[in-house]
Amino acid sequence: MGGDGEFFSVGECDGQKTIDGEQVPLVLTPASSGSGERGGEALAAALRARREWVEAKVVSNSAVLLRGFGVRDAAEFDAVVGALGWPDIRYVGPAPRTHVHGRVWTANEGPLDEFIYYHHEMVLIKEFPGKVILFCEVAPPEGGETPFVPSFRVTERVMEEFPEMVEELDEKGLRYTFTALSKNDTKSMRGRGWEDAFATTDKAEAEKRKLTRVFPGRQGRRMWFNTVVGMHGKELSSATMADGAEIPTAFVARCGEIIEEESIQFRWEVGDVLILDNLATLHGRRPSPPPRRVLVATCK
């Protein structure tokens, strides 16, 4: 680990992939030669001293999993988040969430037996987070993974199969339409009414969006920065070309297959902290029986 070997070692996890020579996620565990200190405060101090190094790893590897440091609760997780030094960004959107401590909120409180589809956090909001940080306080007995997908891999593969369609959608743009609940309902994954989530009426239409985006510092990679698969042809949502033309169902279905094939699945362990580059990864939630408690902080 270069100069960071006194605190961090590189580990492994189930589902880890090597993409363009980098481990995704990069798993950091306590160094066996370290002082033996554990807990959120010790981890926070180590991260605070290595902020630039950690951020570089999040960008180069798209995700970093901190495992085995014994982070115990929301307060310790909040200290870890603060130590990284990234400004807070308030969640905006329909998912039911509850404030827990400091910058920490519950993740989507929708029913655990439902799959939350892959998405870039707040992809439809003008100001979206650069980082999403997740903490496992209670690991589910089975399932309940937070699978994530390197977004550029989706674009690369879709471009191989549908180059003309990708360029047409990027040129024409996309239009998303929602029909939302009028009142808050935690029995639904889209549980916050639009009056609360977006301060608008029950029906809202997003502005014209592109299919892919390129962000600075990420090797010029085109990210699959859209929610076409998650919203196309659904009961409460739709995704079309900006001029109203339909997006072919077969194209959307194949994109969904590619996203699933490129997904990275790992089992949560109590105390895990997962840092996702929200500009480079989509993430979701697998169904599970209770209990499961994963907390989240969103950062610029």
Side-chain angles (χ1 to χ4, degrees):
M1 294 305 302
D4 298 285
E6 74 274 10
F7 195 85
F8 294 114
S9 291
V10 174
E12 297 179 345
C13 69
D14 292 341
Q16 188 179 46
K17 295 182 180 181
T18 300
I19 300 173
D20 296 341
E22 300 288 356
Q23 292 177 314
V24 185
L26 174 65
V27 181
L28 298 179
T29 61
S32 56
S33 60
S35 64
E37 285 186 89
R38 294 290 185 272
E41 291 298 335
L43 176 59
L47 293 172
R48 191 175 294 111
R50 300 164 176 83
R51 282 179 178 175
E52 291 185 4
W53 179 82
V54 173
E55 177 153 26
K57 292 299 182 186
V58 173
V59 172
S60 65
N61 296 71
S62 300
V64 172
L65 176 62
L66 301 167
R67 171 165 282 178
F69 295 97
V71 180
R72 289 174 293 195
D73 54 27
E76 289 196 357
F77 175 49
D78 187 59
V80 169
V81 172
L84 290 164
W86 300 318
D88 189 38
I89 185 169
R90 188 179 74 87
Y91 172 75
V92 176
R97 293 184 173 181
T98 302
H99 181 248
V100 179
H101 181 94
R103 294 171 58 175
V104 177
W105 294 70
T106 58
N108 192 318
E109 294 176 1
L112 288 176
D113 60 357
E114 296 184 34
F115 176 46
I116 298 176
Y117 195 69
Y118 301 101
H119 59 285
H120 288 272
E121 195 68 23
M122 291 163 54
V123 66
L124 300 181
I125 310 301
K126 287 182 179 179
E127 188 179 16
F128 42 81
K131 314 287 192 305
V132 174
I133 312 176
L134 297 148
F135 163 61
C136 181
E137 187 173 39
V138 179
E142 61 180 352
E145 297 91 349
T146 299
F148 63 92
V149 184
S151 194
F152 54 91
R153 283 292 301 143
V154 180
T155 306
E156 288 171 4
R157 290 192 55 193
V158 176
M159 283 287 291
E160 290 171 2
E161 297 186 30
F162 306 96
E164 297 88 358
M165 179 60 67
V166 171
E167 298 303 348
E168 182 180 4
L169 288 169
D170 260 343
E171 183 180 342
K172 288 186 175 179
L174 303 167
R175 177 174 292 138
Y176 302 104
T177 308
F178 316 88
T179 303
L181 303 170
S182 58
K183 296 181 180 177
N184 291 351
D185 176 14
T186 55
K187 296 186 182 69
S188 167
M189 291 183 296
R190 191 169 294 206
R192 294 173 65 200
W194 286 98
E195 296 94 332
D196 177 38
F198 291 103
T200 184
T201 55
D202 290 359
K203 293 184 178 181
E205 194 171 286
E207 64 181 288
K208 177 179 172 179
R209 302 299 172 103
K210 289 189 169 292
L211 187 76
T212 68
R213 288 189 63 167
V214 177
F215 294 100
R218 284 154 183 85
Q219 304 179 48
R221 289 165 163 168
R222 288 175 71 174
M223 305 300 181
W224 189 255
F225 207 74
N226 66 77
T227 184
V228 167
V229 177
M231 292 183 62
H232 181 269
K234 301 297 190 292
E235 182 182 0
L236 295 176
S237 65
S238 68
T240 65
M241 297 188 194
D243 61 7
E246 289 295 327
I247 301 172
T249 300
F251 167 78
V252 176
R254 180 60 187 141
C255 292
E257 292 172 355
I258 290 171
I259 289 170
E260 190 61 55
E261 290 165 9
E262 292 296 327
S263 67
I264 293 168
Q265 322 273 337
F266 74 98
R267 288 299 308 269
W268 279 117
E269 295 181 7
V270 172
D272 280 351
V273 175
L274 176 67
I275 308 172
L276 294 174
D277 180 356
N278 189 50
L279 308 184
T281 57
L282 308 106
H283 68 277
R285 187 195 71 189
R286 292 279 183 217
S288 75
R292 178 189 189 272
R293 185 170 168 86
V294 173
L295 305 179
V296 65
T298 47
C299 310
K300 292 182 180 178

